[in-house]
Amino acid sequence: MPTARSLPRTRRRATLRRSLGLLRDFRYEQPDPARFYGHLARDTAELLESLNRDSGRGTLRHQNILDVGGGPGYFAAEFERRGARYVSVEPDVGEMAAAGIEVAASVRGSGLDLPFRTGAFDLVYSSNVAEHVPDPWRMGEEMLRVTAPGGLMVLSYTVWLGPFGGHETGLWEHYVGGEYARDRYTRRHGHPPKNVFGSSLFDVSCAAGLGWARSLEHSGRARVLGAFPRYHPGWAWWLTRVPGVRELAVSNLVIVARRV
């Protein structure tokens, strides 16, 4: 697996200040989604532009970009500001309309069976969606399929045993078990969590993602450019390489692959 040295621009932007800013906003995900997702959208666009530059593809201008699981539309403006042609796909109509934001190119569909032709996009990415589908690697394969040869596929997801693996059910409850965290939240709040373990939230490990990334290279379908913890400073990217430790310390894994 390539090291951080293969993504120098992306690693330089991964500062401690950035990490702390994103961490502070995490608590606003549900009470103030505009604040949380607005900041996350800017960070995502900057991250993808850095990855595009590191891969020798330049800026995002005039790039056809697919956002798998784009949600309520906070991301569209950030990519359009950079001159990209942005398309999002989301299975939940309610999620698409939740923020009252209109996205001109938003398609209802499943990440497990993307409704696009093979090789349609220059860059395909998914942010914090893989842990919400029962077969995340099938989604990854679909993302790679609709990526053009030479284009980038970027899959970023929350690691189950990291501190945020349980999402809104708490920082420690999921370590006891997903069912326990789900049921405890329901008892305390009088309703189930938005992300229900076993139906809309699943146990996805760091090791599984790295294993899938290696399979892409071994099969010759893609070249993996890097795998790193999304929200960590660049000097902490080594955590991804340590078995066991990475499951607890890498809260979100990013896999970057160039389709062959």
Side-chain angles (χ1 to χ4, degrees):
M1 193 74 69
T3 66
R5 288 189 295 274
S6 63
L7 300 171
R9 184 185 297 269
T10 305
R11 189 173 187 270
R12 283 196 301 271
R13 72 173 291 279
T15 63
L16 179 60
R17 181 179 181 180
R18 165 187 171 266
S19 298
L20 293 174
L22 290 168
L23 183 62
R24 280 194 300 269
D25 280 355
F26 180 80
R27 65 183 184 274
Y28 295 107
E29 180 181 8
Q30 294 199 15
D32 189 357
R35 172 172 176 169
F36 173 77
Y37 286 107
H39 187 183
L40 186 62
R42 289 191 299 276
D43 184 78
T44 300
E46 290 170 4
L47 171 64
L48 293 179
E49 187 145 70
S50 294
L51 290 170
N52 218 43
R53 288 176 178 272
D54 277 334
S55 69
R57 295 172 54 82
T59 70
L60 298 180
R61 189 168 183 79
H62 303 311
Q63 297 271 293
N64 294 317
I65 295 178
L66 175 65
D67 177 354
V68 179
Y74 291 103
F75 292 75
E78 288 300 323
F79 288 99
E80 291 166 359
R81 189 173 295 123
R82 289 167 170 77
R85 293 184 286 266
Y86 173 91
V87 177
S88 69
V89 59
E90 167 64 48
D92 187 344
V93 171
E95 188 74 18
M96 292 167 71
I101 300 171
E102 292 187 6
V103 180
S106 186
V107 177
R108 185 181 183 187
S110 170
L112 301 177
D113 293 289
L114 290 171
F116 304 104
R117 64 176 174 81
T118 296
F121 297 93
D122 301 301
L123 192 156
V124 178
Y125 84 96
S126 179
S127 174
N128 300 310
V129 175
E131 70 269 23
H132 299 294
V133 298
D135 191 350
W137 316 127
R138 176 177 166 182
M139 188 181 85
E141 294 289 344
E142 275 290 278
M143 290 173 61
L144 188 66
R145 178 185 67 79
V146 301
T147 303
L152 292 186
M153 183 220 61
V154 182
L155 177 61
S156 168
Y157 67 92
T158 303
V159 177
W160 174 249
L161 288 179
F164 306 113
H167 288 57
E168 74 272 22
T169 61
L171 294 176
W172 61 267
E173 289 86 346
H174 65 294
Y175 291 115
V176 179
E179 294 87 353
Y180 171 83
R182 176 195 63 208
D183 295 344
R184 184 175 187 271
Y185 181 97
T186 302
R187 288 194 304 272
R188 292 181 65 197
H189 297 273
H191 60 83
K194 175 184 176 182
N195 301 290
V196 179
F197 184 77
S199 61
S200 58
L201 180 63
F202 299 90
D203 177 350
V204 186
S205 70
C206 191
L210 295 173
W212 175 71
R214 284 192 292 270
S215 77
L216 297 180
E217 289 221 325
H218 293 163
S219 66
R221 288 172 291 159
R223 180 188 170 214
V224 178
L225 303 183
F228 56 90
R230 176 174 179 176
Y231 301 122
H232 288 43
W235 47 260
W237 282 13
W238 60 270
L239 290 166
T240 307
R241 302 195 298 271
V242 185
V245 172
R246 62 193 175 205
E247 301 299 339
L248 298 170
V250 176
S251 61
N252 186 289
L253 179 68
V254 181
I255 298 168
V256 186
R258 185 202 295 271
R259 185 182 172 193
V260 173

